[in-house]
Amino acid sequence: MTYCVGLHLREGLVLLSDTRTNAGVDNISTFGKMQVEEIPGERVLAILSAGNLAITQAVWNRLQEGVSLGGETLTLRSAPSMFRAAQLVGQAVREVYAADGPALSAHGVGFDISLMLGGQIAGGPPRLFLVYAAGNFIEATTDTPFLQIGEHKYGKPILDRVVGFDTPLMDGVKLVLISMDSTLRSNLTVGMPIDLLLCRTDGFRVTLRRRITEEDPYFRAVSEGWSGALRNAYMALPRPDWLAEAAAGE
């Protein structure tokens, strides 16, 4: 299982992924699920992946070699816009399905893949897309400025309550780490280390890329601080009047 999250904020993009893959309870490995293409000053793009590892790696390899789209062969380094890059990723997914889908189906294996594509290409704004197994995609907006793939339900509540398009970039880092920590605590199939990427708007380069381990002091401070804040908030909430009445009647 996987958890990846991306924020599309006014100040830029914040992307975070875990690294755990598992082919059974006794076969757990670490694989990076974040791939980055960067031409400093001209473009920076990142792909985060969830699903069958062989399928996601096959899609990435096709993107590296070039995918035919609209009569020309493109890669993420040559796509003229982020929308075109999203189309390119979708086409790569379709090509892998055409090549491997029947064989996977014959062995009872589903075509399980979802991808998050974020970045900025000179001449356009930062954009963030979620590409489905069918090759179609949706885009984060100013109204819904975050996307998730994989085991997303545990890390979603904090994002729903707090994240807005005008959330500062550094606050976005805290929020995705809290979101990931909530997922790690509730689902053992999502695991450390985690990969963080920041791209400032109009920077056209990677602002920060960091692998965060369990020993990382800041992540530990966030995890412990959030747990303490939740306990304090719970204790500070008033008891309902009807509970006091029920207790008095005993």
Side-chain angles (χ1 to χ4, degrees):
M1 188 55 75
T2 294
Y3 179 51
C4 302
V5 56
L7 307 184
H8 176 219
L9 309 175
R10 187 181 302 278
E11 292 182 1
L13 300 175
V14 183
L15 305 174
L16 186 71
S17 66
D18 86 312
T19 58
R20 176 165 292 183
T21 65
N22 119 45
V25 294
D26 60 349
N27 187 8
I28 296 174
S29 303
T30 296
F31 281 90
K33 301 169 187 176
M34 179 186 294
Q35 305 291 341
V36 180
E37 289 282 13
E38 179 185 21
I39 303 177
E42 196 270 327
R43 71 180 59 208
V44 57
L45 299 94
I47 289 183
L48 282 61
S49 59
N52 183 294
L53 182 63
I55 297 172
T56 60
Q57 289 186 343
V59 169
W60 176 249
N61 286 327
R62 282 183 181 264
L63 288 168
Q64 292 291 98
E65 293 185 354
V67 175
S68 179
L69 186 66
E72 57 182 336
T73 299
L74 298 171
T75 69
L76 294 178
R77 297 177 70 86
S78 61
S81 67
M82 285 301 301
F83 178 74
R84 199 67 166 162
Q87 289 182 312
L88 194 70
V89 173
Q91 180 61 22
V93 171
R94 294 188 188 100
E95 289 185 4
V96 171
Y97 178 77
D100 299 339
L104 290 169
S105 180
H107 286 271
V109 179
F111 191 78
D112 180 19
I113 182 175
S114 54
L115 300 166
M116 192 183 304
L117 170 70
Q120 185 177 15
I121 296 173
R127 300 178 76 172
L128 181 65
F129 299 92
L130 192 163
V131 183
Y132 297 105
N136 58 327
F137 53 85
I138 62 171
E139 182 177 5
T141 67
T142 55
D143 292 323
T144 306
F146 69 89
L147 295 173
Q148 301 167 285
I149 56 176
E151 185 56 271
H152 63 271
K153 59 182 176 289
Y154 302 108
K156 191 172 186 289
I158 179 63
L159 303 179
D160 284 333
R161 287 178 179 271
V162 178
V163 173
F165 184 63
D166 290 317
T167 298
L169 197 65
M170 293 304 115
D171 286 351
V173 172
K174 289 189 287 185
L175 289 168
V176 296
L177 291 178
I178 292 170
S179 179
M180 179 63 76
D181 180 64
S182 299
T183 304
L184 292 170
R185 286 175 177 269
S186 298
N187 192 318
L188 294 178
T189 65
V190 179
M192 302 286 281
I194 53 180
D195 291 326
L196 174 69
L197 184 77
L198 302 184
C199 301
R200 285 194 177 275
T201 298
D202 296 333
F204 303 110
R205 64 178 181 84
V206 173
T207 303
L208 172 70
R209 188 175 186 182
R210 182 177 179 85
R211 173 156 286 191
I212 299 171
T213 67
E214 293 176 345
E215 291 74 35
D216 185 273
Y218 181 71
F219 182 74
R220 291 177 63 182
V222 168
S223 177
E224 294 168 5
W226 181 243
S227 295
L230 286 175
R231 285 193 294 270
N232 292 336
Y234 145 72
M235 294 298 294
L237 290 173
R239 293 184 177 182
D241 294 340
W242 43 263
L243 186 61
E245 294 171 359
E250 290 181 353

